[in-house]
Amino acid sequence: MPNILVTNDDGISSPGIKSLAKALRSVGDVYVVAPETEQSAVAHALTLHRPLKSEKAGKNTYTVNGTPTDCVIISVNKILPVKPDIIVSGINNGANLGDDITYSGTVAAAIEGTLLGIPSIAMSLVRNDSNNDNYRKRISLLKTAADFAVKLVKKVLLKGLPPDTLLNVNVPNVPGIKGVKFTKQGKPVYYNAVHEISDPRGRKYYWICGGVPQWEPDEDFDFEAVQKGYISITPVHLDLTNYEALEYIKKKFKIIL
Ligand code: MN
């Protein structure tokens, strides 16, 4: 049986991680190690300046009072009896699309797994704030996403992943999913992302809320696939070098000491 590490950034008590762990128990031995409290949008943060603690929270289930990245590092080095064959992070409560993945704790856990040489997948379920998802509908959508994670995990265990690459998966928030699309990272543009409000003493404060982004149109983009009712899978690599730009600056930037 393969060993599967399940983590997230929404915290140990989120419905998403419970659905995911439950579904993946049909594939292998599942270990759940997740942050004690929600850590959304902490990106790839690592806790270096305070000690971390892990508590047992159930069979093969542990909390860590740190970030998703802390969870992966501590799991792989200390908590798990064996190196996991695969890491699945999620199912995040909300999309992780386009450039926004650079903020994501969900994706960061998969980045950490990839850095440790373990095939890793980030799973997110799009939220529909305007419709105010009801709980039962949300649980049924989570089950759909978790069942898809089972299929994908089996595939990755069989075929492996290209080096230095994780899969970023987004499941649309619709009951009838049309299929699966392999996509590239899209480009959101946020308007009015920062709200300026006054406190009761008349002092300004700011609230970064993102709002609803506009997306550059391109049918290969992750956002467009999800918007059209498809599950989006983007292979994300960790080498941030822009190779085209490297050639360009080599030619154009003739800087002599
Ligand atoms: Mn989250």
Side-chain angles (χ1 to χ4, degrees), residues 8-11 38-41 92-94 96 104-106:
N8 75 352
D9 75 357
D10 293 334
E38 184 173 349
Q39 301 289 313
S40 291
N92 189 57
N93 180 23
N96 276 305
S104 169
T106 307

Side-chain angles (χ1 to χ4, degrees), residues 172-257:
N173 185 335
V174 288
I177 288 169
K178 286 191 188 147
V180 180
K181 280 195 173 175
F182 297 100
T183 58
K184 59 185 189 184
Q185 186 181 318
K187 276 218 88 63
V189 183
Y190 285 98
Y191 298 100
N192 302 320
V194 180
H195 286 226
E196 185 182 287
I197 310 162
S198 293
D199 75 9
R201 294 184 180 83
R203 287 176 300 212
K204 281 180 195 161
Y205 65 92
Y206 302 95
W207 199 294
I208 298 172
C209 70
V212 179
Q214 304 286 311
W215 292 83
E216 286 182 11
D218 185 329
E219 66 176 69
D220 290 335
F221 276 166
D222 49 7
F223 170 77
E224 212 153 304
V226 162
Q227 200 185 34
K228 289 179 175 158
Y230 291 87
I231 293 173
S232 161
I233 303 181
T234 309
V236 173
H237 69 150
L238 304 190
D239 180 353
L240 300 179
T241 312
N242 181 337
Y243 287 95
E244 251 175 68
L246 179 61
E247 292 312 309
Y248 176 84
I249 60 167
K250 271 184 186 170
K251 264 189 229 140
K252 302 280 179 182
F253 286 37
K254 295 222 161 44
I255 302 171
I256 298 160
L257 272 186

Side-chain angles (χ1 to χ4, degrees), residues 103-123:
Y103 305 118
S104 169
T106 307
V107 174
I111 288 176
E112 192 56 37
T114 307
L115 288 172
L116 294 169
I118 302 161
S120 298
I121 301 172
M123 293 284 310

